[in-house]
Amino acid sequence: MRTAQAHSPTKEKLLDAAQQLMLAKGFPSTTVDEICETAGLTKGSFFHYFASKEQLGKEVLDRFYCSVQQTIQQGSFRKKSDPLQRVYGYIDRVIELSKNPELPRSCLLGHFTQELSDTHPEIRMLCAQRFAEWAATLKQDLDEAKAQHAPKAAFDTQSLAEYFLAVMQGSRILATAKQDTRAIEQNLQHLKRYVKSLFEK
C-alpha cells in the first residue's frame, strides 16, 4: 500500500479545492464530492490522503493559518528595531493586505470557529489553539514595547493582543457583510489610535 506523501501535488489540489469551497460556502455545506470535482480528482484519491472530511478540515485550517502568518510577517515592519514601531507596522501591514484582491476576503479560522464550535469539538480546540498562538505573536512585540515605552502603564498585553484579534476578525465580518473592505482599514486605524493613546505616543 502506498504511503500518502505529506506535500504531494495531489494532496495540495485537494487542500486548495477545499479551502476555496469552504471559504465560499462554509464547512458544513461543502461535500467531499464537490471537493473532488473541483480538484479534478476521484474520491479514492481523497480517502488516500484523508481519513475523513474532518481531518481534511483540520489540515486546511492549519495550512490557511500558517499562510496568513507568513504573509503578514513578510512585511517590512519586522525589520524595525523599535518594538512599538513593529506594533504599528503590524496594523499597517494588515490594512495593506486587506486591499490585495488576490488574497481571501474572509478568514477560515473565523468561519470554522463560528460554524463548528458546537458540532466539532476537535476543530473548535484547534481554532482556540491557533488564536492563542496568534495572540502570542502579537503579545511578544507588545511586551517589548511596554517595557521600553510604558513600563508603568496598567494595561495588560495579553488582553490587548486578543483585542487586536477581535478587531481584525470583526472587521472582516463587517467588510464581508457590507462588501466593502474599507471597513477593515477604518477599524484598524481606530485600533492604531487607541494603541497610541495607551503608549501616549
Side-chain angles (χ1 to χ4, degrees):
M1 181 178 177
R2 286 191 303 135
T3 300
Q5 299 175 26
H7 299 291
S8 77
T10 299
K11 185 176 182 180
E12 290 301 311
K13 284 183 180 180
L14 290 164
L15 289 168
D16 285 341
Q19 178 175 307
Q20 174 190 332
L21 290 166
M22 289 175 184
L23 281 170
K25 300 176 55 176
F27 181 92
S29 297
T30 298
T31 67
V32 171
D33 286 336
E34 287 176 308
I35 293 168
C36 293
E37 181 180 353
T38 301
L41 297 166
T42 65
K43 288 180 76 171
S45 296
F46 180 95
F47 287 109
H48 177 72
Y49 291 99
F50 306 103
S52 64
K53 180 181 163 185
E54 181 162 346
Q55 182 193 342
L56 168 71
K58 291 176 184 177
E59 294 199 33
V60 170
L61 181 64
D62 273 341
R63 193 180 73 148
F64 181 87
Y65 171 81
C66 291
S67 175
V68 168
Q69 295 307 312
Q70 182 180 26
T71 301
I72 293 174
Q73 298 299 335
Q74 287 172 344
S76 60
F77 72 95
R78 292 306 325 162
K79 299 177 182 178
K80 295 182 182 295
S81 59
D82 186 332
L84 185 55
Q85 293 306 313
R86 292 199 298 271
V87 170
Y88 297 149
Y90 189 100
I91 297 173
D92 292 338
R93 175 65 171 166
V94 175
I95 291 172
E96 174 193 350
L97 293 174
S98 74
K99 299 176 182 179
N100 186 337
E102 296 182 2
L103 295 177
R105 298 269 66 85
S106 55
C107 177
L108 202 63
L109 187 55
H111 275 326
F112 278 19
T113 300
Q114 294 178 78
E115 291 181 324
L116 306 177
S117 291
D118 294 333
T119 56
H120 293 72
E122 291 187 8
I123 292 181
R124 182 201 63 76
M125 291 173 62
L126 182 58
C127 289
Q129 176 187 333
R130 289 311 197 185
F131 273 129
E133 291 172 7
W134 198 342
T137 65
L138 291 163
K139 184 177 184 298
Q140 183 174 347
D141 281 337
L142 289 168
D143 282 340
E144 293 180 24
K146 187 172 186 293
Q148 183 172 328
H149 295 284
K152 296 182 180 179
F155 65 84
D156 173 63
T157 54
Q158 175 64 36
S159 60
L160 182 56
E162 292 177 357
Y163 181 57
F164 268 56
L165 297 182
V167 172
M168 288 189 286
Q169 289 294 318
S171 296
R172 280 181 173 270
I173 292 172
L174 281 174
T176 300
K178 298 168 72 172
Q179 290 293 288
D180 186 352
T181 58
R182 287 178 297 179
I184 298 174
E185 179 173 7
Q186 290 168 357
N187 290 331
L188 289 174
Q189 291 291 2
H190 284 309
L191 173 63
K192 189 174 181 180
R193 285 190 287 271
Y194 173 66
V195 174
K196 285 185 175 182
S197 74
L198 291 177
F199 284 94
E200 297 184 351
K201 293 187 178 182

